[in-house]
Amino acid sequence: MYRYLTLLLLTFIACSPETSYPEVAKWAAQADNVTIIRDDYGVPHIYGQTDADAVFGLLYAQCEDDFRRVERNFTWAIGRLAETEGEEAIYSDLRAKLFMTEDEAKEYYQSAPDWLKKLCAAWADGINYYLHTHPEVEPKVIKKYEPWMTMYFTEGSIGGDIERVSTRRIKAFYEGKTVAEEIGEEDFLLEPKGSNGFAISGDLTASGNAMLLINPHTSFYFRGEVHAVSEEGLNAYGAVTWGQFFVYQGFNENTGWMHTSTYTDVIDEFVETIIEKEDGLYYQYGDEERNVEVKEVTLKYLEDGAMREKTFPIYRTHHGPITHEVDGKWTATAMMWEPVKALEQSFVRSKKKNLAEFNEMMDIRTNSSNNTVFADSEGNIAYYHGNFIPIRDDQFDYIRPVDGSNPATDWQGLHPVDEAITVKNPPNGWIQNCNSTPFTSAAQYSPKKEDYPSYMSRIPENFRGVHAIGLLADANDMTIDKMIDLAYDPYLPAFEKVIPGLIAAYDQSPDVSIAGPIEVLRNWDMRTGSESVGMTLAHFYGMNLYLHAEIPDNLTGMDRFHYFGIELPVAERLDIFIKAITEIEDRMGSWNTPWGEVNRFQRVDGAIDLQFDDEAPSIPVGLTTGRWGALAAYGMRSSQDTDKIYGTRGNSFVAVVEFGDQVKAKTILAGGQSSDPNSPHFYDQAEMYANQQFKEVAYYREDVEARAEETYVPGKREQ
């Protein structure tokens, strides 16, 4: 009788409009195939019998650590953000649907190979089982996760390619308005986006083994640290973008992969010639008149507590969806859109055993927004500049919209990997990419610009790249700890001309009111640190130069900053420096303020929208923004109504890996693994992060068990 009543109760609890008892039973059965071991830093080590079991456990563990970021990422990805954030987000949702409707996502999922469909199903089941076992967690929008949803978010970059498509221009198109031409975000007051990847051969290491630096510069807490293992050969450790089922930047026992944002041209705009006829819309393509594909989508949005709807038409040509107008003409945006292949590449990457296998994986060619830095246990190091690279007629300038009616402008397939810009085992023994030009990635053994089409790389050098090259050129007898020291080298090359230029201006026209700050800078070694007053002065001077200096329109990047130091009029340099001193005094009370008193780390709650408070506890941080050439970047990318500066972006998850008979690694994570302020792992890495003290990675099962804090099956964790 007791068993009967228990069954009735379980059935009652399990049955809802979204779930049924058989589903819950299936989830519970799969959970029994999974063991999660949390180590002494709360990092989840997920062990499953199959890859699908590991994926199930991985998503369950991610939801435990930060369900709201899992939820938010997929609410954005599938185009339902306006249901929680209101009408202002509706064009973000429309953008998602322009490239793939829900029905199309389902079709893609059904076309996937069976092994991938199993992983997608396990992804959904892991999240749904978490929600089932945590009824106190109320989803905001997606009440039940479905396998097809994975098709919308197939690689781990922040936003990926689709966020480069302007919602502002989509809105203008659909509202019949004109909008000023956009040339891309160039807000120098925001922390630059980017990452660092270094690979070093055994010729330069103490052990004779290859090493890899994994150093993404992302918004803090955008990725968690995980370890996923299965009896089918999965054993991947690293950073996972919340809500995804593959390790995005990380390593297995034999290979390691680090992605940096690429500036390879992978998105193009085609201006279409539209022809209106009684039976519909057409567009000119050579001598043809082709049908414009027209669909409809209805989107919901929240307004005054009520859910409302808007219906939009979707127009597409073979180039892609119509996203905006150029000079009054409809314009289609073309980008990589192969969700099945992209998801396949993202997962199988983590199981490759050597460079040959990795190279074969790269030939799937769907990793469109990334460069890749690689190292393996056989001693190989490699660099791939981009991966998805359309073949184009180089007579056309694809930086600007091209004529879609001319068939010669069409993409002509994709470049195979061996035609792309790559570096493999260069004799100098090191490779670097800091979102900088690939043509300095391996010193004199770098690829040559003239050997490749112009569209493969237009990115110039940057200060981080210059910094890395100088350090790696002297690298020798490297260890993991030496690599960490190199990756956190405090020198700031951006100030090499700026500070001497300011001092020269002062010496020409001395001003007793700024004599003290000038003497500090005269003696400053151009290195950042929490005790450095010179760093405080240089930072605010640099930021005020960006705000107030008059500069030629054609200068960008490094040239702009060199202009500040060499050609900016003397009086203007001094006037801007006085503005900087005034700002420091207004903020901190005195210009003579060490950098660590200004630059802080604070985590007051687990909210996605970070808030800061000068009166609340915080930690001094000696790191600084990557715009000055700091390899270990630390800056803000949000509006802050505070006097002190609180980091929101830069070094987040960082790992240094050494390959050999056994893999060894050290990592650090901004703040901690959990988003729950009540968790011991919410803030347990904060001091370590500020002091650049990395933790040892527990990779092998015996090491994981020796450091186990909790061991449990999903759904059976003690609360």
Short mmCIF file of all heavy atoms in Angstrom, two decimals, residues 510-563:
data_model
loop_
_atom_site.label_atom_id
_atom_site.label_comp_id
_atom_site.label_asym_id
_atom_site.label_seq_id
_atom_site.Cartn_x
_atom_site.Cartn_y
_atom_site.Cartn_z
N PRO A 510 57.24 74.05 -18.19
CA PRO A 510 57.01 73.56 -16.83
C PRO A 510 55.83 74.28 -16.16
O PRO A 510 55.61 75.47 -16.36
CB PRO A 510 58.32 73.88 -16.10
CG PRO A 510 59.33 74.01 -17.19
CD PRO A 510 58.61 74.60 -18.36
N ASP A 511 55.08 73.49 -15.39
CA ASP A 511 53.93 74.01 -14.65
C ASP A 511 54.05 73.46 -13.23
O ASP A 511 53.91 72.25 -13.00
CB ASP A 511 52.63 73.56 -15.31
CG ASP A 511 51.38 74.05 -14.58
OD1 ASP A 511 51.49 74.50 -13.43
OD2 ASP A 511 50.29 73.96 -15.18
N VAL A 512 54.33 74.33 -12.28
CA VAL A 512 54.61 73.88 -10.92
C VAL A 512 53.43 73.11 -10.33
O VAL A 512 53.61 72.24 -9.46
CB VAL A 512 54.98 75.08 -10.02
CG1 VAL A 512 53.79 76.03 -9.83
CG2 VAL A 512 55.51 74.61 -8.67
N SER A 513 52.21 73.37 -10.81
CA SER A 513 51.03 72.71 -10.24
C SER A 513 50.99 71.21 -10.52
O SER A 513 50.31 70.46 -9.83
CB SER A 513 49.75 73.37 -10.76
OG SER A 513 49.56 73.08 -12.13
N ILE A 514 51.72 70.77 -11.56
CA ILE A 514 51.73 69.33 -11.89
C ILE A 514 53.12 68.73 -11.77
O ILE A 514 53.38 67.64 -12.27
CB ILE A 514 51.15 69.07 -13.31
CG1 ILE A 514 51.96 69.84 -14.37
CG2 ILE A 514 49.68 69.44 -13.35
CD1 ILE A 514 51.56 69.49 -15.79
N ALA A 515 54.03 69.44 -11.10
CA ALA A 515 55.41 68.95 -10.98
C ALA A 515 55.47 67.60 -10.28
O ALA A 515 56.23 66.71 -10.68
CB ALA A 515 56.26 69.99 -10.23
N GLY A 516 54.68 67.42 -9.21
CA GLY A 516 54.70 66.16 -8.47
C GLY A 516 54.28 64.97 -9.31
O GLY A 516 55.02 63.97 -9.41
N PRO A 517 53.11 65.02 -9.96
CA PRO A 517 52.70 63.89 -10.82
C PRO A 517 53.68 63.63 -11.96
O PRO A 517 53.93 62.47 -12.30
CB PRO A 517 51.34 64.34 -11.35
CG PRO A 517 50.83 65.32 -10.35
CD PRO A 517 52.04 66.01 -9.80
N ILE A 518 54.25 64.69 -12.53
CA ILE A 518 55.20 64.49 -13.62
C ILE A 518 56.43 63.74 -13.13
O ILE A 518 56.95 62.84 -13.81
CB ILE A 518 55.59 65.85 -14.25
CG1 ILE A 518 54.43 66.41 -15.07
CG2 ILE A 518 56.84 65.70 -15.12
CD1 ILE A 518 54.11 65.64 -16.33
N GLU A 519 56.93 64.07 -11.93
CA GLU A 519 58.10 63.38 -11.41
C GLU A 519 57.80 61.91 -11.14
O GLU A 519 58.67 61.05 -11.34
CB GLU A 519 58.59 64.07 -10.13
CG GLU A 519 59.31 65.37 -10.40
CD GLU A 519 60.41 65.23 -11.44
OE1 GLU A 519 61.31 64.38 -11.23
OE2 GLU A 519 60.37 65.93 -12.46
N VAL A 520 56.59 61.60 -10.70
CA VAL A 520 56.20 60.19 -10.51
C VAL A 520 56.28 59.46 -11.84
O VAL A 520 56.84 58.35 -11.94
CB VAL A 520 54.79 60.09 -9.90
CG1 VAL A 520 54.29 58.64 -9.97
CG2 VAL A 520 54.79 60.58 -8.46
N LEU A 521 55.75 60.07 -12.90
CA LEU A 521 55.78 59.42 -14.20
C LEU A 521 57.19 59.37 -14.79
O LEU A 521 57.54 58.43 -15.50
CB LEU A 521 54.83 60.14 -15.17
CG LEU A 521 53.33 59.92 -14.91
CD1 LEU A 521 52.49 60.73 -15.87
CD2 LEU A 521 52.97 58.44 -15.01
N ARG A 522 58.00 60.37 -14.48
CA ARG A 522 59.38 60.36 -14.97
C ARG A 522 60.14 59.15 -14.42
O ARG A 522 61.03 58.60 -15.08
CB ARG A 522 60.08 61.66 -14.55
CG ARG A 522 61.36 61.95 -15.32
CD ARG A 522 62.09 63.15 -14.75
NE ARG A 522 61.34 64.39 -14.82
CZ ARG A 522 61.31 65.21 -15.87
NH1 ARG A 522 61.99 64.90 -16.96
NH2 ARG A 522 60.61 66.34 -15.82
N ASN A 523 59.78 58.73 -13.23
CA ASN A 523 60.46 57.60 -12.58
C ASN A 523 59.68 56.28 -12.71
O ASN A 523 60.13 55.26 -12.18
CB ASN A 523 60.68 57.92 -11.10
CG ASN A 523 61.62 59.08 -10.91
OD1 ASN A 523 62.72 59.08 -11.45
ND2 ASN A 523 61.19 60.10 -10.16
N TRP A 524 58.56 56.32 -13.38
CA TRP A 524 57.72 55.12 -13.51
C TRP A 524 58.33 54.16 -14.52
O TRP A 524 58.81 54.57 -15.59
CB TRP A 524 56.31 55.54 -13.93
CG TRP A 524 55.32 54.42 -14.03
CD1 TRP A 524 55.07 53.45 -13.12
CD2 TRP A 524 54.43 54.16 -15.12
NE1 TRP A 524 54.08 52.61 -13.56
CE2 TRP A 524 53.66 53.02 -14.79
CE3 TRP A 524 54.18 54.79 -16.35
CZ2 TRP A 524 52.69 52.50 -15.64
CZ3 TRP A 524 53.21 54.28 -17.20
CH2 TRP A 524 52.47 53.15 -16.84
N ASP A 525 58.29 52.87 -14.22
CA ASP A 525 58.88 51.85 -15.10
C ASP A 525 57.89 51.31 -16.11
O ASP A 525 58.17 50.32 -16.79
CB ASP A 525 59.47 50.72 -14.28
CG ASP A 525 58.43 50.01 -13.40
OD1 ASP A 525 57.23 50.38 -13.47
OD2 ASP A 525 58.81 49.09 -12.65
N MET A 526 56.75 51.91 -16.25
CA MET A 526 55.70 51.51 -17.20
C MET A 526 55.21 50.10 -16.94
O MET A 526 54.86 49.36 -17.86
CB MET A 526 56.18 51.67 -18.65
CG MET A 526 56.52 53.10 -19.02
SD MET A 526 56.82 53.35 -20.76
CE MET A 526 57.70 54.91 -20.72
N ARG A 527 55.16 49.77 -15.65
CA ARG A 527 54.63 48.48 -15.24
C ARG A 527 53.46 48.71 -14.30
O ARG A 527 53.51 49.57 -13.42
CB ARG A 527 55.71 47.64 -14.54
CG ARG A 527 56.84 47.25 -15.47
CD ARG A 527 57.95 46.49 -14.78
NE ARG A 527 58.99 46.16 -15.73
CZ ARG A 527 59.00 45.06 -16.49
NH1 ARG A 527 58.02 44.17 -16.36
NH2 ARG A 527 59.96 44.85 -17.35
N THR A 528 52.42 47.92 -14.49
CA THR A 528 51.26 48.04 -13.63
C THR A 528 51.50 47.28 -12.33
O THR A 528 52.31 46.36 -12.26
CB THR A 528 49.99 47.51 -14.33
OG1 THR A 528 48.85 47.82 -13.53
CG2 THR A 528 50.06 46.01 -14.57
N GLY A 529 50.78 47.67 -11.29
CA GLY A 529 50.86 47.02 -9.99
C GLY A 529 49.97 47.74 -9.01
O GLY A 529 49.69 48.94 -9.16
N SER A 530 49.52 47.05 -8.00
CA SER A 530 48.55 47.63 -7.07
C SER A 530 49.14 48.79 -6.26
O SER A 530 48.41 49.66 -5.80
CB SER A 530 48.00 46.55 -6.13
OG SER A 530 49.05 45.97 -5.38
N GLU A 531 50.48 48.83 -6.10
CA GLU A 531 51.11 49.90 -5.32
C GLU A 531 51.57 51.06 -6.18
O GLU A 531 52.12 52.04 -5.67
CB GLU A 531 52.31 49.34 -4.55
CG GLU A 531 51.98 48.20 -3.59
CD GLU A 531 50.98 48.64 -2.53
OE1 GLU A 531 51.11 49.77 -2.01
OE2 GLU A 531 50.05 47.86 -2.23
N SER A 532 51.33 50.99 -7.48
CA SER A 532 51.89 51.97 -8.40
C SER A 532 51.01 53.20 -8.56
O SER A 532 49.88 53.12 -9.07
CB SER A 532 52.11 51.33 -9.78
OG SER A 532 52.52 52.29 -10.72
N VAL A 533 51.53 54.36 -8.16
CA VAL A 533 50.85 55.63 -8.42
C VAL A 533 51.01 56.01 -9.89
O VAL A 533 50.11 56.58 -10.51
CB VAL A 533 51.41 56.75 -7.51
CG1 VAL A 533 50.78 58.10 -7.84
CG2 VAL A 533 51.17 56.40 -6.04
N GLY A 534 52.17 55.66 -10.47
CA GLY A 534 52.38 55.91 -11.89
C GLY A 534 51.32 55.25 -12.75
O GLY A 534 50.87 55.83 -13.76
N MET A 535 50.89 54.06 -12.37
CA MET A 535 49.84 53.37 -13.12
C MET A 535 48.54 54.16 -13.07
O MET A 535 47.83 54.30 -14.07
CB MET A 535 49.65 51.96 -12.55
CG MET A 535 48.57 51.14 -13.28
SD MET A 535 49.01 50.73 -14.97
CE MET A 535 47.72 51.59 -15.87
N THR A 536 48.21 54.69 -11.91
CA THR A 536 46.99 55.48 -11.78
C THR A 536 47.04 56.70 -12.70
O THR A 536 46.10 56.98 -13.45
CB THR A 536 46.79 55.94 -10.32
OG1 THR A 536 46.77 54.79 -9.48
CG2 THR A 536 45.50 56.72 -10.16
N LEU A 537 48.15 57.43 -12.66
CA LEU A 537 48.30 58.62 -13.48
C LEU A 537 48.26 58.28 -14.97
O LEU A 537 47.59 58.95 -15.76
CB LEU A 537 49.61 59.33 -13.14
CG LEU A 537 49.71 59.95 -11.75
CD1 LEU A 537 51.15 60.33 -11.43
CD2 LEU A 537 48.79 61.17 -11.63
N ALA A 538 48.96 57.22 -15.36
CA ALA A 538 49.02 56.84 -16.77
C ALA A 538 47.65 56.40 -17.27
O ALA A 538 47.24 56.76 -18.39
CB ALA A 538 50.05 55.73 -16.97
N HIS A 539 46.93 55.64 -16.47
CA HIS A 539 45.61 55.16 -16.89
C HIS A 539 44.66 56.33 -17.15
O HIS A 539 44.02 56.40 -18.21
CB HIS A 539 45.01 54.23 -15.84
CG HIS A 539 43.62 53.80 -16.17
ND1 HIS A 539 43.34 52.76 -17.02
CD2 HIS A 539 42.40 54.29 -15.77
CE1 HIS A 539 42.04 52.61 -17.14
NE2 HIS A 539 41.44 53.53 -16.39
N PHE A 540 44.57 57.23 -16.21
CA PHE A 540 43.62 58.33 -16.38
C PHE A 540 44.07 59.31 -17.47
O PHE A 540 43.24 59.89 -18.17
CB PHE A 540 43.38 59.04 -15.05
CG PHE A 540 42.46 58.27 -14.14
CD1 PHE A 540 42.96 57.43 -13.16
CD2 PHE A 540 41.08 58.36 -14.29
CE1 PHE A 540 42.12 56.70 -12.34
CE2 PHE A 540 40.22 57.64 -13.47
CZ PHE A 540 40.74 56.80 -12.49
N TYR A 541 45.38 59.46 -17.63
CA TYR A 541 45.87 60.27 -18.74
C TYR A 541 45.49 59.61 -20.07
O TYR A 541 44.98 60.28 -20.99
CB TYR A 541 47.38 60.45 -18.63
CG TYR A 541 48.00 61.26 -19.76
CD1 TYR A 541 47.47 62.49 -20.14
CD2 TYR A 541 49.12 60.78 -20.44
CE1 TYR A 541 48.04 63.23 -21.18
CE2 TYR A 541 49.69 61.52 -21.47
CZ TYR A 541 49.15 62.74 -21.84
OH TYR A 541 49.73 63.46 -22.86
N GLY A 542 45.72 58.32 -20.18
CA GLY A 542 45.37 57.62 -21.41
C GLY A 542 43.89 57.70 -21.73
O GLY A 542 43.49 57.95 -22.88
N MET A 543 43.05 57.49 -20.74
CA MET A 543 41.61 57.54 -20.97
C MET A 543 41.16 58.95 -21.36
O MET A 543 40.29 59.13 -22.23
CB MET A 543 40.86 57.06 -19.73
CG MET A 543 41.13 55.61 -19.36
SD MET A 543 40.74 54.43 -20.68
CE MET A 543 38.94 54.48 -20.66
N ASN A 544 41.77 59.97 -20.74
CA ASN A 544 41.41 61.35 -21.10
C ASN A 544 41.93 61.74 -22.47
O ASN A 544 41.32 62.58 -23.16
CB ASN A 544 41.91 62.31 -20.02
CG ASN A 544 40.94 62.45 -18.86
OD1 ASN A 544 40.02 63.26 -18.91
ND2 ASN A 544 41.12 61.62 -17.84
N LEU A 545 43.03 61.15 -22.90
CA LEU A 545 43.47 61.35 -24.28
C LEU A 545 42.41 60.85 -25.26
O LEU A 545 42.09 61.53 -26.25
CB LEU A 545 44.81 60.63 -24.53
CG LEU A 545 46.06 61.30 -23.97
CD1 LEU A 545 47.25 60.35 -24.03
CD2 LEU A 545 46.37 62.60 -24.72
N TYR A 546 41.88 59.65 -25.00
CA TYR A 546 40.82 59.12 -25.86
C TYR A 546 39.60 60.05 -25.88
O TYR A 546 38.96 60.23 -26.90
CB TYR A 546 40.40 57.73 -25.37
CG TYR A 546 41.30 56.61 -25.81
CD1 TYR A 546 41.68 55.61 -24.93
CD2 TYR A 546 41.75 56.52 -27.12
CE1 TYR A 546 42.50 54.56 -25.33
CE2 TYR A 546 42.56 55.49 -27.54
CZ TYR A 546 42.94 54.50 -26.64
OH TYR A 546 43.74 53.47 -27.05
N LEU A 547 39.30 60.63 -24.73
CA LEU A 547 38.11 61.47 -24.62
C LEU A 547 38.28 62.84 -25.26
O LEU A 547 37.35 63.36 -25.91
CB LEU A 547 37.74 61.67 -23.14
CG LEU A 547 36.87 60.62 -22.48
CD1 LEU A 547 36.79 60.89 -20.99
CD2 LEU A 547 35.47 60.60 -23.09
N HIS A 548 39.45 63.44 -25.11
CA HIS A 548 39.57 64.86 -25.40
C HIS A 548 40.55 65.22 -26.51
O HIS A 548 40.49 66.34 -27.02
CB HIS A 548 39.98 65.62 -24.12
CG HIS A 548 39.03 65.43 -22.99
ND1 HIS A 548 37.72 65.86 -23.03
CD2 HIS A 548 39.19 64.84 -21.77
CE1 HIS A 548 37.12 65.57 -21.89
NE2 HIS A 548 37.98 64.94 -21.11
N ALA A 549 41.45 64.34 -26.89
CA ALA A 549 42.47 64.71 -27.88
C ALA A 549 41.88 64.81 -29.28
O ALA A 549 41.06 63.99 -29.69
CB ALA A 549 43.61 63.69 -27.86
N GLU A 550 42.32 65.84 -30.01
CA GLU A 550 41.96 65.99 -31.42
C GLU A 550 42.96 65.18 -32.24
O GLU A 550 44.17 65.40 -32.17
CB GLU A 550 42.02 67.46 -31.82
CG GLU A 550 41.00 68.35 -31.12
CD GLU A 550 39.59 68.14 -31.65
OE1 GLU A 550 39.47 67.64 -32.79
OE2 GLU A 550 38.63 68.47 -30.94
N ILE A 551 42.45 64.24 -33.03
CA ILE A 551 43.34 63.38 -33.80
C ILE A 551 42.83 63.22 -35.22
O ILE A 551 41.63 63.35 -35.48
CB ILE A 551 43.47 61.98 -33.14
CG1 ILE A 551 42.09 61.33 -32.97
CG2 ILE A 551 44.20 62.05 -31.83
CD1 ILE A 551 42.14 59.93 -32.46
N PRO A 552 43.70 62.93 -36.17
CA PRO A 552 43.27 62.70 -37.56
C PRO A 552 42.32 61.51 -37.65
O PRO A 552 42.45 60.52 -36.92
CB PRO A 552 44.59 62.41 -38.28
CG PRO A 552 45.65 63.04 -37.43
CD PRO A 552 45.17 62.90 -36.02
N ASP A 553 41.38 61.60 -38.58
CA ASP A 553 40.35 60.56 -38.71
C ASP A 553 40.91 59.22 -39.16
O ASP A 553 40.32 58.18 -38.91
CB ASP A 553 39.28 61.02 -39.71
CG ASP A 553 38.46 62.18 -39.19
OD1 ASP A 553 38.40 62.35 -37.95
OD2 ASP A 553 37.89 62.91 -40.02
N ASN A 554 42.05 59.24 -39.87
CA ASN A 554 42.55 57.99 -40.45
C ASN A 554 43.39 57.16 -39.49
O ASN A 554 43.91 56.12 -39.86
CB ASN A 554 43.37 58.29 -41.71
CG ASN A 554 44.61 59.14 -41.40
OD1 ASN A 554 44.63 59.85 -40.40
ND2 ASN A 554 45.60 59.06 -42.27
N LEU A 555 43.52 57.61 -38.24
CA LEU A 555 44.35 56.87 -37.29
C LEU A 555 43.51 55.93 -36.43
O LEU A 555 42.47 56.31 -35.91
CB LEU A 555 45.09 57.85 -36.37
CG LEU A 555 46.14 58.75 -37.02
CD1 LEU A 555 46.81 59.60 -35.96
CD2 LEU A 555 47.18 57.93 -37.78
N THR A 556 43.96 54.71 -36.32
CA THR A 556 43.30 53.74 -35.45
C THR A 556 44.37 52.96 -34.69
O THR A 556 45.55 52.98 -35.04
CB THR A 556 42.44 52.75 -36.25
OG1 THR A 556 43.28 52.05 -37.18
CG2 THR A 556 41.32 53.47 -37.00
N GLY A 557 43.93 52.27 -33.65
CA GLY A 557 44.80 51.32 -32.95
C GLY A 557 46.09 51.94 -32.44
O GLY A 557 46.11 53.00 -31.82
N MET A 558 47.21 51.26 -32.72
CA MET A 558 48.50 51.68 -32.22
C MET A 558 48.91 53.04 -32.76
O MET A 558 49.52 53.84 -32.04
CB MET A 558 49.56 50.62 -32.57
CG MET A 558 49.37 49.30 -31.84
SD MET A 558 50.51 48.01 -32.42
CE MET A 558 52.08 48.72 -31.98
N ASP A 559 48.59 53.31 -34.01
CA ASP A 559 48.97 54.60 -34.59
C ASP A 559 48.32 55.75 -33.85
O ASP A 559 48.93 56.82 -33.66
CB ASP A 559 48.57 54.65 -36.07
CG ASP A 559 49.41 53.73 -36.93
OD1 ASP A 559 50.52 53.38 -36.50
OD2 ASP A 559 48.94 53.36 -38.02
N ARG A 560 47.09 55.56 -33.41
CA ARG A 560 46.39 56.60 -32.66
C ARG A 560 47.15 56.92 -31.36
O ARG A 560 47.35 58.09 -31.02
CB ARG A 560 44.97 56.11 -32.35
CG ARG A 560 44.13 57.09 -31.55
CD ARG A 560 42.83 56.42 -31.13
NE ARG A 560 42.01 56.06 -32.25
CZ ARG A 560 40.91 56.71 -32.63
NH1 ARG A 560 40.51 57.76 -31.95
NH2 ARG A 560 40.21 56.31 -33.66
N PHE A 561 47.57 55.89 -30.67
CA PHE A 561 48.22 56.13 -29.39
C PHE A 561 49.63 56.68 -29.56
O PHE A 561 50.10 57.49 -28.77
CB PHE A 561 48.21 54.85 -28.54
CG PHE A 561 47.96 55.12 -27.09
CD1 PHE A 561 46.74 55.66 -26.69
CD2 PHE A 561 48.92 54.88 -26.13
CE1 PHE A 561 46.50 55.94 -25.34
CE2 PHE A 561 48.69 55.15 -24.79
CZ PHE A 561 47.47 55.69 -24.40
N HIS A 562 50.31 56.26 -30.61
CA HIS A 562 51.62 56.84 -30.89
C HIS A 562 51.50 58.32 -31.23
O HIS A 562 52.36 59.13 -30.86
CB HIS A 562 52.30 56.08 -32.04
CG HIS A 562 52.75 54.71 -31.64
ND1 HIS A 562 53.00 53.72 -32.56
CD2 HIS A 562 53.01 54.17 -30.43
CE1 HIS A 562 53.39 52.62 -31.93
NE2 HIS A 562 53.40 52.87 -30.63
N TYR A 563 50.43 58.69 -31.92
CA TYR A 563 50.18 60.10 -32.23
C TYR A 563 50.06 60.92 -30.94
O TYR A 563 50.59 62.04 -30.87
CB TYR A 563 48.90 60.22 -33.06
CG TYR A 563 48.48 61.65 -33.33
CD1 TYR A 563 48.98 62.34 -34.43
CD2 TYR A 563 47.60 62.32 -32.48
CE1 TYR A 563 48.61 63.66 -34.68
CE2 TYR A 563 47.22 63.63 -32.72
CZ TYR A 563 47.72 64.30 -33.82
OH TYR A 563 47.36 65.60 -34.06
#
